[in-house]
Amino acid sequence: FEISAVGEAGPPGLIEVLVETPSSDSQTTEVGTPVAVPPAVVVRDSNEFIAPNVEVTFTVGASSGTIKATAGGSAVTTAAIMTDANGVARLHSWTLGNRGANTLEAHVTSDPSLTLTMNATGIAGPPANIAVFTEVPTSDNQTTVANTPVPVAPAVLVTDASELAVEAGDEI
């Protein structure tokens, strides 16, 4: 005589960033471009067994860009993804929206108390434009006697293709 049993995961009890190298959390990339590793989470039950076929909702924070659920999908700020057989829900991409801190929240759709926030840092791209820095008084079109300084030190503003200022210390 033979006894067999099949176990199934219980209801979701935990959501966490998928452990992988490099991590899909705490990435840095240029504003307006996707992070290198698409965000991914793993859902487990209260006994820490993987939980397949669980819907996870990803929501982009204020001014933190857009996400795509699939390769051909539209850029949106909220998307729902089902976990796979390994309990993993992964977006196709996250394109950052602002310089500095960007956030992406993921929560189990059926239990919003199971939530986490992923972070990324947006940086300016390579220099693409240079212009006279506009100030009052202006540093442009000054005259002075030879070998004496102009009244206002000359200044320029260097920006990337998205018109984000390239800061001192950024590679130029």
Side-chain angles (χ1 to χ4, degrees):
F1 120 53
E2 186 176 307
I3 298 176
S4 66
V6 175
E8 291 185 11
L14 173 71
I15 185 171
E16 57 192 1
V17 174
L18 177 65
V19 176
E20 58 188 338
T21 303
S23 177
S24 61
D25 191 20
S26 300
Q27 298 182 75
T28 298
T29 195
E30 294 175 18
V31 172
T33 62
V35 294
V37 180
V41 299
V42 62
V43 178
R44 300 178 188 279
D45 70 9
S46 59
N47 293 313
E48 297 196 15
F49 291 108
I50 59 171
N53 302 315
V54 174
E55 187 176 78
V56 175
T57 300
F58 291 88
T59 304
V60 178
S63 300
S64 291
T66 58
I67 53 178
K68 287 186 179 181
T70 61
S74 299
V76 295
T77 56
T78 299
I81 306 281
M82 296 298 286
T83 58
D84 62 16
N86 297 311
V88 175
R90 182 182 299 274
L91 288 170
H92 175 72
S93 66
W94 177 20
T95 299
L96 301 187
N98 68 60
R99 185 178 199 146
N102 289 261
T103 59
L104 177 65
E105 179 186 281
H107 71 266
V108 173
T109 307
S110 63
D111 185 353
S113 71
L114 299 175
T115 187
L116 65 80
T117 300
M118 301 175 90
N119 300 286
T121 302
I123 58 173
N129 307 298
I130 188 167
V132 173
F133 186 69
T134 305
E135 56 196 49
V136 177
T138 183
S139 62
D140 195 18
N141 295 320
Q142 300 180 77
T143 58
T144 191
V145 177
N147 295 319
T148 60
V150 291
V152 179
V156 295
L157 177 62
V158 179
T159 59
D160 69 1
S162 298
E163 298 297 321
L164 291 173
V166 177
E167 294 181 352
D170 287 350
E171 273 190 42
I172 297 179

